[in-house]
Amino acid sequence: MSQIKVDSIVPRNGIASGEGGGIIQVVTTNISARTTVSGLSNTAFTDISGFSKAITLTSNTSKALIMIMLNVSHQSDGFAIPARVIRRIGGTDTNVNVGDTTGNRISGSFGYSQSSIPANSMVFIGVDSPASTSEITYVLQLGSQSAQSVCINGTQTSNADNAGTNQAVLSSSMTIMEVCT
């Protein structure tokens, strides 16, 4: 079998000054199980099991395009689910694309305020510039208004096992692309 290996593919008309040159690699993880997560806080974030992915960029000038699609429901109607993406290199955590801290509010990357039925989709698309060729692990962290539990990929109401479109078990994913500059 023949293979063609290149560092980048440049468009026919070249690359505009200051623009990137393409996708170098893609890593992804899919989470398909319905999982209830307890022990969340309304003042801090907690790593979510299964929602992390490692990548080693080929150049310290590369950027990481991070895409997360999370299906989630809250224990109570109308409560908020703040989320944060962190970059973890050698045990050091750095927030990715978080809002400014105001007063006693925590800073998140994205979030949702929703009902317990059905699960709702939260989407994050962000670019990180880690300036590193060390292994980087991107991690999703969640918080919970009033420190109540959340359910990933489904609902957590008492009738969560009932058949119906608002009770479906869903799938969530995290994809990271290395973008050359």
Side-chain angles (χ1 to χ4, degrees), residues 20 32 35 40 43 57 60 66 85 90 95 102-103 113 133 146 173 175:
S32 59
T35 306
L40 298 176
T43 59
L57 303 180
N60 64 2
I66 306 151
V85 178
N95 296 333
T102 303
S113 179
T133 56
S146 298
S173 64
T175 301

Side-chain angles (χ1 to χ4, degrees), residues 80-103:
I81 303 171
R84 179 170 70 184
V85 178
I86 62 161
R87 171 193 340 126
R88 187 169 286 154
I89 301 176
T92 301
D93 290 354
T94 304
N95 296 333
V96 176
N97 294 9
V98 297
D100 294 336
T101 301
T102 303

Side-chain angles (χ1 to χ4, degrees), residues 107-126:
S107 295
S109 302
F110 63 118
Y112 203 85
S113 179
Q114 52 85 64
S115 66
S116 59
I117 299 176
N120 291 283
S121 296
M122 293 171 47
V123 176
F124 173 83
I125 300 173

